[in-house]
Amino acid sequence: MRVWLPPVMLTVLLCALSAGMPALEPLFEWMQPDKQNVIYERESFLFLLQNHLMLVVISALVGTVAAVAGGIFATRPAGRDFLPLVSQIASIGQTFPPVAVLALAVPVLGFGEAPILVALILYGLLPILRNTLAGLEGVDATVRQAALGMGMSPFQVLLQVELPLAGRVILAGIRTSVTINIATAAIGSTIGARTLGDPVIAGLVNGNTAYVLQGAILIGMLALTVDSLFEAAERVWDRRFLPQTAG
Amino acid sequence: MIELKNVTRRFGDAVAVDRINLTVETGEVCVLVGSSGCGKSTTLRMINQLLPHSEGQILVDGNDVTAMNPEQLRLNMGYVIQGTGLFPHWTVARNIAMVPQLLKWPRERIDERVHELLTLLDLDQATHANKYPQQLSGGQAQRVGVARALAANPNILLMDEPFGALDAITRENLQLEMLRIQSQLRKTTVFVTHDIDEALRLATRIAVMDQGRIIQHDTPENILRRPASVFVENLVGKQDRGLKLMSLHTVRDLMEAPPQPREPEPGADGLKEDDSLRVALSIMLWQNWSQVPVFNADGQETGTITRDRIIQEGA
């Protein structure tokens, strides 16, 4: 159970910081004595945190399903021919700046959460897909040959052999993707999505560094928390499927 | 029984296996031997349809393999490969239980079978069952590979250079182990190797392959005595053919046996009934014995063998 201790502690710290930001008023006043308002109050930090996290989770779920499915398809005998195409699509998603996606998506989808979700999903695909491909390709060919030769169906080989063996690498890809997207989600605030980017944008517009700092600190904390959650999940995975390598 | 009739396999324009005919009788060990690229592994993998054949017909117990569900076909064929192909995320016990699990045997029956196989392959339940493949030595891992192949008691065993990656001593141990197990179980076995000594030791009949064709299909003795071509002659080795022939027979074949076995004199040196004539001769030359007592597995003296007789009749 000890592996879950860091993420739990970070979660508590994150929630406490979001709820208790006003308590830090003297600190921010000392930093910026010339401003009347030093604590962002247009929306509660807890609400922004929740909404920010929701955007990341939804985009991660959709992105994971799409990327893992694409990766599995491209490594099957029937889909081999599509392997270059699939990796190209993912690479394009990664090279296309999320800001440009927003600019293109707003006229179609309107302001709010929808365009940023599209941008996050596209932006998060590549790391997951790359790792899915690497993980599946990395499964020892003799293991796959033995599994087939002993009478497993291709579907059983995928479910019982390939995915458990590739899962650790896929999980690492999801971790990278989610961490990147926690930071990227903040730009959603420019098109009316409610995220922890709100105080940052407001601070930039009003020249209020305290606002910027509050948003940035919470985004950073969120990234740390989620990352430690994945760290713990990876350890648990190791213990479950690769016990001989876990110390 | 496995029958290959005019079977051909092409990879693009290249012909890997060229119209071969081969019959493996029930209970015999057929060893496919040849240099790499001769088509022996391809032949093996067509029997369980990991590679579909391009032309011809493959029959297993009279049924055409193309008409069968490939999974069903393979579940009834144990499959052992070089480098074992054990599942690294499963324990030894679970690896062995793989096919019974696919066949949905009840839990207790699987446990019982795993225990039985660990014992059969001389692996210790307590120390090995819960280990992972990476924690085993090469020889142990291949024992587990063989146990896994035997788990659901298949009629047929396909072995693709199973001992190729092992050191000489471990390989010999496993070969002896295999002879012992085969004498108990009598599986119809197709065994692929490039090692002619391994082939001579294990085979009921050997099929020598070259460039996708079977050059000669015969018993080890006939392969040695009457090689069909220069290629086969070179493969078996011209010079030590005599010694190789000796290694096909055991001391039991040439010893003088009194009607009743008797208890040996304490501390007497001797040979075992199962020692090959080659080993016997080697020991007798080294020790300068002209005659030596022979013991059976229980340590009783069952006869005597002379050096003259080995030299006259051994090869």
Side-chain angles (χ1 to χ4, degrees):
Chain A
M1 256 6 287
R2 192 183 272 163
V3 290
W4 296 106
L5 197 62
V8 168
M9 277 171 55
L10 279 166
T11 310
V12 171
L13 189 61
L14 177 64
C15 292
L17 207 59
S18 311
M21 197 64 91
L24 295 177
E25 197 169 359
L27 182 69
F28 290 113
E29 263 171 359
W30 168 78
M31 280 175 57
Q32 258 185 323
D34 53 328
K35 293 276 177 189
Q36 277 194 334
N37 265 341
V38 289
I39 299 293
Y40 183 79
E41 278 166 340
R42 245 176 280 171
E43 203 71 75
S44 90
F45 284 111
L46 270 178
F47 169 79
L48 291 176
L49 174 67
Q50 189 193 333
N51 219 38
H52 192 112
L53 193 62
M54 195 189 69
L55 286 172
V56 173
V57 168
I58 292 176
S59 64
L61 285 179
V62 176
T64 302
V65 170
V68 172
I72 290 172
F73 170 71
T75 50
R76 295 310 97 184
R80 278 260 157 218
D81 294 345
F82 295 92
L83 187 62
L85 182 72
V86 171
S87 10
Q88 268 166 13
I89 291 175
S91 301
I92 292 169
Q94 178 84 17
T95 43
F96 218 79
V99 179
V101 177
L102 290 187
L104 291 173
V106 166
V108 184
L109 300 168
F111 283 90
E113 265 82 24
I116 188 66
L117 271 179
V118 172
L120 290 181
I121 291 168
L122 286 180
Y123 206 52
L125 276 179
L126 183 74
I128 308 178
L129 185 74
R130 274 275 156 79
N131 281 34
T132 306
L133 292 176
L136 289 174
E137 302 272 275
V139 174
D140 188 351
T142 60
V143 170
R144 198 181 291 122
Q145 193 201 339
L148 277 176
M150 304 282 303
M152 276 191 181
S153 69
F155 187 65
Q156 284 169 325
V157 177
L158 175 70
L159 232 54
Q160 296 188 35
V161 180
E162 291 182 287
L163 283 181
L165 289 176
R168 179 64 163 72
V169 182
I170 298 176
L171 194 62
I174 299 174
R175 179 178 178 176
T176 312
S177 162
V178 167
T179 312
I180 293 173
N181 271 353
I182 286 174
T184 314
I187 63 164
S189 293
T190 55
I191 49 136
R194 322 262 61 187
T195 73
L196 286 172
D198 285 12
V200 178
I201 304 282
L204 290 174
V205 172
N206 303 328
N208 191 332
T209 318
Y211 285 3
V212 177
L213 216 53
Q214 285 153 27
I217 288 172
L218 289 179
I219 293 171
M221 279 288 300
L222 178 60
L224 274 181
T225 309
V226 172
D227 197 60
S228 75
L229 204 67
F230 273 102
E231 169 83 35
E234 283 178 4
R235 292 241 187 115
V236 171
W237 182 284
D238 284 352
R239 227 182 274 168
R240 169 77 182 73
F241 289 113
L242 306 159
Q244 70 289 349
T245 53
Chain B
M1 188 163 82
I2 304 168
E3 293 160 279
L4 280 75
K5 295 180 178 168
N6 271 318
V7 173
T8 298
R9 167 73 202 193
R10 290 190 205 90
F11 292 104
D13 286 336
V15 181
V17 171
D18 192 4
R19 285 165 296 162
I20 61 166
N21 287 289
L22 180 70
T23 304
V24 183
E25 301 291 343
T26 306
E28 83 167 343
V29 179
C30 172
V31 177
L32 302 177
V33 66
S35 42
S36 40
C38 72
K40 55 192 195 299
S41 278
T42 308
T43 305
L44 186 87
R45 295 171 64 183
M46 286 191 293
I47 296 173
N48 68 2
Q49 290 287 292
L50 277 178
L51 285 174
H53 49 289
S54 316
E55 271 165 39
Q57 209 181 14
I58 300 177
L59 303 177
V60 172
D61 295 327
N63 303 313
D64 193 320
V65 291
T66 47
M68 292 159 89
N69 172 312
E71 279 87 50
Q72 225 47 49
L73 173 78
R74 292 169 197 157
L75 284 172
N76 194 25
M77 292 182 174
Y79 187 45
V80 188
I81 57 177
Q82 186 174 7
T84 74
L86 292 175
F87 304 126
H89 58 308
W90 287 358
T91 60
V92 165
R94 189 154 176 220
N95 264 289
I96 297 176
M98 172 194 168
V99 178
Q101 241 158 21
L102 289 175
L103 295 170
K104 303 208 165 43
W105 287 15
R107 189 70 250 167
E108 312 81 63
R109 191 170 159 212
I110 295 181
D111 290 344
E112 203 179 302
R113 182 67 181 147
V114 168
H115 183 76
E116 212 174 286
L117 285 163
L118 285 170
T119 318
L120 179 71
L121 282 143
D122 209 15
L123 290 159
D124 185 48
Q125 173 98 8
T127 46
H128 295 118
N130 293 315
K131 279 195 176 169
Y132 285 83
Q134 298 86 328
Q135 297 167 304
L136 303 175
S137 70
Q140 288 168 339
Q142 199 49 276
R143 278 164 200 267
V144 176
V146 174
R148 180 175 68 171
L150 291 171
N153 221 342
N155 298 326
I156 292 169
L157 211 51
L158 304 179
M159 308 183 88
D160 194 350
E161 302 206 32
F163 311 141
L166 303 173
D167 64 85
I169 296 170
T170 314
R171 192 185 316 150
E172 191 174 332
N173 279 335
L174 276 166
Q175 286 165 356
L176 293 174
E177 201 87 330
M178 200 185 133
L179 284 173
R180 178 177 66 80
I181 292 169
Q182 179 62 13
S183 69
Q184 288 175 32
L185 305 179
R186 300 246 161 253
K187 301 284 180 202
T188 308
T189 306
V190 183
F191 190 108
V192 165
T193 182
H194 58 258
D195 178 354
I196 186 69
D197 290 311
E198 187 167 68
L200 290 170
R201 170 174 277 170
L202 298 176
T204 322
R205 283 195 292 170
I206 295 175
V208 181
M209 290 189 71
D210 185 35
Q211 296 178 354
R213 294 215 174 90
I214 293 178
I215 308 291
Q216 188 173 11
H217 182 210
D218 215 329
T219 60
E221 177 133 11
N222 282 342
I223 296 258
L224 283 168
R225 286 195 194 280
R226 287 181 286 280
S229 68
V230 180
F231 177 82
V232 181
E233 202 168 2
N234 287 335
L235 186 77
V236 295
K238 271 184 210 166
Q239 281 133 7
D240 56 354
R241 212 189 284 172
L243 288 174
K244 278 182 174 154
L245 272 167
M246 276 193 185
S247 59
L248 296 179
H249 297 281
T250 61
V251 169
R252 190 185 289 117
D253 300 337
L254 286 187
M255 69 184 187
E256 303 259 1
Q260 284 296 320
R262 54 172 194 217
E263 288 306 312
E265 294 161 36
D269 266 337
L271 298 165
K272 288 194 281 296
E273 282 183 339
D274 288 328
D275 283 337
S276 73
L277 290 177
R278 180 178 180 161
V279 170
L281 182 64
S282 167
I283 293 174
M284 292 172 95
L285 287 173
W286 177 249
Q287 302 279 10
N288 203 17
W289 291 332
S290 57
Q291 174 169 340
V292 71
V294 180
F295 304 115
N296 65 11
D298 301 328
Q300 290 169 308
E301 190 181 324
T302 49
T304 50
I305 189 160
T306 62
R307 189 161 78 191
D308 291 344
R309 182 137 191 231
I310 295 179
I311 290 169
Q312 278 160 21
E313 298 175 37

